[in-house]
Amino acid sequence: MKFEVLTIFPEVIECYLKHGVVGRALNKGIAEVKVYNLRDFTTDRHRKVDDYPYGGGAGMVMQIEPFYNALRHIKSDGIPRKVILLSPQGRRFSQRIAKEFYKEEKTLTLICGRYEGIDERIKAFVDEEISIGDYVLSGGELAALVIIDSVVRLIPGALGDELSAEEDSFMKGFLDYPHYTRPEEFEGMRVPDILLSGDHKKIALWRKKEALRNTLKNRPDLLKNLSAEDMKILKELCSEINKKILEGVHEPVNN
Ligand code: 4FV
């Protein structure tokens, strides 16, 4: 899987690519990230990439030419790619879209804005606009890294054992179950006995139940098209919670 990043801060991207899962995947050669410094595609001796906004107003706007020159250079190899502009106006990114990008196996060319944004005419050269969330960042670099990280995790061999990508939150459509490791007891808080039982069938059932409990509590909106087995577990969970509520030992689920 190949990624290309257009940015005026290449070091911000390169720094992150040296570490963790993404760093290992790049070393293994199962993913590749090419970072382009936009200033290398300017034509003036000050390597200017921004200018005052037409119509006035605060801040600066990024000029179209450096992006146009960079994309023309990059696209000259004729490889099929998807050009993505990171911006708050884009389609809201999610695990489903990460899977979509992975399955498409197209090179992802990620355009990172800075300042107030990029001249609107950039959209004539963009296939898709993506937002990582309803907040305003100082640049698109963090959003580009979010996409690279979440897509690289889906590449077979990127994560230690195969299973874990499938195990990730949202991969199954709901939140993750609680994780514990040594020590067995900390500040009076004990690891649930079931996890020390060695009974993997019971442990799997407990994990599914706790994942549904977390989802019911924090993201009930995700509890749709559940399997019959999951629905059965969720029903048991709800009756348990209601029973506790009626006994006054459980605060109502605030949904
Ligand atoms: C953003 C987001 C984001 C807007 C102006 C960069 C900033 C500045 N990108 N999801 N939210 N971008 O806030 O993707 O140029």
Side-chain angles (χ1 to χ4, degrees), residues 86-88 113-117 130-140 143:
L86 290 312
S87 95
R114 280 269 155 179
Y115 311 103
E116 298 313 305
I130 291 279
S131 169
I132 61 166
D134 298 344
Y135 36 79
V136 179
L137 303 167
S138 322

Side-chain angles (χ1 to χ4, degrees), residues 1 3 14 19 32 36 38 52 63 71 73 75 84 111 148 159 166 195 209 238:
M1 184 86 193
F3 304 84
E14 279 143 7
H19 306 283
E32 187 188 333
Y36 293 89
L38 212 56
Y52 295 99
Q63 296 172 287
L71 287 172
H73 164 76
K75 287 181 177 182
I84 295 173
I111 294 181
I148 292 170
L159 301 176
E166 287 314 309
L195 297 178
K209 191 172 182 183
C238 290

Side-chain angles (χ1 to χ4, degrees), residues 182-201:
R182 282 183 287 231
E184 255 181 50
E185 175 141 359
F186 182 76
E187 299 283 319
M189 297 178 283
R190 279 193 54 71
V191 170
D193 292 334
I194 185 77
L195 297 178
L196 311 172
S197 69
D199 180 333
H200 295 294
K201 205 163 169 330

